[in-house]
Amino acid sequence: MKMDKNLHIPQGYRQTEVGVIPDDWEVVKLNEKAFIQRGKFSPRPRNNPKYYHGKYPFVQTSDVVNSKGKITSYSQTLNDKGLAVSKLFPYGTILMTVAANIGFTGILARDMACPDSLVGIQCKKSLYNKFLNFYFIYNQKKIDYLAEEAAQKNINLSILNNLRIPMPPKQEQQKIADILTTWDNAINQQTTLIEKKQQLKKGLMQQLLTAKTRFSEFSDDWEIVKLCDIVKINKGKQLNKAGLSKIDKYPVVNGGISPSGYTNKWNVEKDTITISEGGNSCGYVNFITSKFWSGGHCYSVTKINPNTVNKFLFQFLKFKERLIMNLRVGSGLPNIQKKDINLFKIKLPPTKEQQKIAQVLTLADDEITKLQTELVLLKTQKKGLMQQLLTGKIRIKI
């Protein structure tokens, strides 16, 4: 690696092949401080049932990718025959994906076996496994970049063996891992809280939008109407992708869940319900709080009847989203026909009851949104801490 002579290096630091690090940190090859072994599962075909349904957890690539750094779940189990043709790694081993999805890692929460699409990395005494795992998580994209392009992208053991990593003193490794683990715990707790609030909201929707539970002041019957009786459905106009940006003011809402880009013009007012018309997410119901551009794969719900509360209608359509998605036709690029959306049936309470239901469900949404914003902040803070701690820019007193 070519050193930059013009780079200002603070006192107590030095330039190395892995960047500027503290003077008392080492740069080591991974195989000097860890044992690296590829997983194994030799039988073909792989799905032969005689090897499965035993007591030994058998981890797949997807289990590692979705592990969030700690591998507790697994897709399958092996019996004694399966274990004999596989490789069992002990608790505390770091597993890394080395095929297709490259460089994702997690630490085993118990002994588990795995195939050759994964490698096991067992740290020697001077290298702390949690520190190394955080280093891998932070550098996943760099590891992926090192992988060889072939029919299926993969990274070989020689690259991993020779991978240079910065290594602080052992106590500092442990302190860094402890701090980042604290952030992980906060993120996990926040994620669990959001999931609980979302489940509570689903329960509220089930009770309030089916009239199983009603407010004491309301007793009038609900009316069943077609969507076209109370609103107008408009299909948007497609914009050229080349004309979209990441910095313009107005989101472009199309067939996906997130905006497909941004533009400097709009064609639909704020506080509008949208329904995705085409694509894998067709039928997805959203509520756009700003002016936006409705694309060619987006339906906008406009000209709502004065006796229909906009936020109530959104909550009802969101509650029935799965049924709306079932209206899709076509296999190559699925879509929902306007005529089918127009005929979708709505159970409509009196206006004041709609307002009360919408108020309760919107408050639940607002609470979930607040928690999600806090979660994004926690993740951003953790990312910044990783950048500072794993490069030695911030030192931990031992």
Side-chain angles (χ1 to χ4, degrees), residues 184-388:
D184 272 347
N185 291 338
I187 288 168
N188 291 336
Q189 287 172 6
Q190 189 79 356
T191 302
T192 300
L193 180 58
I194 290 169
E195 290 169 352
K196 287 180 179 178
K197 294 292 184 181
Q198 288 171 332
Q199 287 302 315
L200 284 171
K201 199 234 169 174
K202 284 182 181 179
L204 274 174
M205 294 173 85
Q206 177 65 38
Q207 293 297 313
L208 295 175
L209 295 173
T210 61
K212 287 181 180 177
T213 298
R214 299 189 71 181
F215 299 103
S216 58
E217 64 266 39
F218 301 114
S219 59
D220 291 346
D221 291 340
W222 289 25
E223 183 183 5
I224 297 177
V225 299
K226 297 191 291 288
L227 192 56
C228 64
D229 294 333
I230 56 173
V231 304
K232 181 174 176 60
I233 302 292
N234 294 318
K235 187 175 180 181
K237 183 177 180 181
Q238 197 69 8
L239 286 179
N240 192 320
K241 278 189 176 182
L244 304 184
S245 79
K246 295 181 180 179
I247 59 173
D248 279 326
K249 185 175 181 179
Y250 303 111
V252 177
V253 181
N254 236 320
I257 292 173
S258 301
S260 53
Y262 293 83
T263 183
N264 58 6
K265 54 189 175 182
W266 59 275
N267 60 2
V268 181
E269 281 284 358
K270 65 180 181 177
D271 296 333
T272 296
I273 302 165
T274 63
I275 302 171
S276 296
E277 178 270 347
N280 292 330
S281 301
C282 65
Y284 176 77
V285 178
N286 204 354
F287 190 86
I288 311 299
T289 57
S290 64
K291 294 177 180 179
F292 66 97
W293 184 273
S294 175
H297 295 296
C298 174
Y299 289 128
S300 299
V301 180
T302 63
K303 296 185 178 179
I304 297 175
N305 184 297
N307 294 323
T308 302
V309 176
N310 194 18
K311 285 286 186 77
F312 171 85
L313 182 59
F314 164 69
Q315 297 289 353
F316 187 88
L317 292 173
K318 194 69 179 175
F319 179 58
K320 297 291 186 178
E321 186 175 67
R322 190 171 296 277
L323 291 178
I324 295 172
M325 288 181 169
N326 287 341
L327 297 175
R328 62 179 64 184
V329 294
S331 53
L333 182 66
N335 67 93
I336 294 176
Q337 300 291 305
K338 186 175 178 179
K339 62 181 177 62
D340 294 325
I341 285 285
N342 276 325
L343 295 176
F344 193 80
K345 291 183 178 178
I346 309 293
K347 290 183 71 175
L348 209 59
T351 303
K352 288 188 177 180
E353 189 172 3
Q354 292 179 49
Q355 291 170 340
K356 193 77 177 278
I357 291 171
Q359 183 181 26
V360 171
L361 296 178
T362 299
L363 282 173
D365 280 339
D366 291 344
E367 185 178 9
I368 291 168
T369 299
K370 180 175 178 291
L371 292 172
Q372 289 171 330
T373 300
E374 292 170 354
L375 178 61
V376 170
L377 179 61
L378 283 171
K379 290 181 176 180
T380 302
Q381 289 171 339
K382 182 199 166 188
K383 186 176 180 180
L385 269 177
M386 292 178 81
Q387 196 275 334
Q388 297 290 315

Side-chain angles (χ1 to χ4, degrees), residues 3-103:
M3 306 297 180
D4 186 351
K5 294 180 180 179
N6 297 317
L7 182 69
H8 173 68
I9 300 175
Q11 187 176 0
Y13 289 77
R14 72 185 196 279
Q15 175 72 276
T16 71
E17 59 263 57
V18 296
V20 176
I21 62 172
D23 284 336
D24 60 339
W25 286 27
E26 298 180 67
V27 176
V28 298
K29 290 197 299 183
L30 186 58
N31 69 349
E32 293 174 347
K33 300 297 178 179
F35 300 103
I36 307 168
Q37 295 177 290
R38 188 178 287 274
K40 178 184 175 185
F41 192 71
S42 54
R44 296 295 185 274
R46 288 179 179 266
N47 60 355
N48 190 326
K50 74 177 184 179
Y51 298 107
Y52 297 98
H53 309 300
K55 63 180 180 179
Y56 305 105
F58 188 49
V59 181
Q60 303 295 315
T61 297
S62 59
D63 300 317
V64 178
V65 171
N66 298 320
S67 70
K68 298 180 182 177
K70 185 177 181 181
I71 304 168
T72 57
S73 59
Y74 40 90
S75 302
Q76 296 168 301
T77 58
L78 299 177
N79 55 29
D80 288 334
K81 286 184 178 179
L83 184 63
V85 292
S86 186
K87 172 70 180 174
L88 187 71
F89 288 99
Y91 160 83
T93 300
I94 299 170
L95 293 188
M96 177 185 286
T97 59
V98 293
N101 296 300
I102 308 290

